[in-house]
Amino acid sequence: MKRKTNCEGGNMQQISVAIIMGSISDEKKMKDCKDVLDEFGVPCEYTVASAHRTPEKTRNFVRSRETNGCKVFICGAGAAAHLAGAVAAITTKPVIGVPLSGSSSTGINGLDALFSTVQMPSGIPVATVALDGAKNAAHLAIEILAIGDEDLHHKLEKARAIMAQKVSDADAELHEKWGKGK
Ligand code: RP5
């Protein structure tokens, strides 16, 4: 069956963000990233492509999306997570790396992925978010896109205001529960 993408059906949408995950076993964690992009109305494309198992597919995907106007790449991988670094080597667009935990049997709980993603040598940067920080990868991508997009900028401001309101509400609730001023 032919895979449907956001670019099909004659309804050509500008795809600004591409999500790449190293394995289908990363899907559950990386879905958070797509969900945040969807909330902000940012269309994305996504693929499973591995830096070591399918290097050609990874290169072709990055090159073709770059040609089609993709502005930010988000890469999620676990274990010796070189995917984000490998993608950063192919493109000069910003690359956000999401180190993923839970894929190693060594009991080091994602430290391998964290160091592999964050410790890029000078000149080929990967903006690394927290371990399993797929949501923040999306937020950061949106902030990058919002530099040149006033609507997106307003959406971000609104989202921040909602977050702040939730903290104020929680504070009021706490004081109600514990007794004001005591
Ligand atoms: C990485 O190795 C993937 O990103 C995944 O997190 C990890 C394990 O992959 P599988 O063996 O589950 O395919 O390349």
Side-chain angles (χ1 to χ4, degrees), residues 21-26 50 52-53 76-79 100 103:
M21 60 198 87
S23 166
I24 195 62
S25 64
D26 302 324
S50 164
H52 51 279
R53 289 167 176 156
L100 299 174
S103 52

Side-chain angles (χ1 to χ4, degrees), residues 68-80:
N68 289 341
C70 179
K71 294 191 173 84
V72 184
F73 290 90
I74 297 175
C75 303

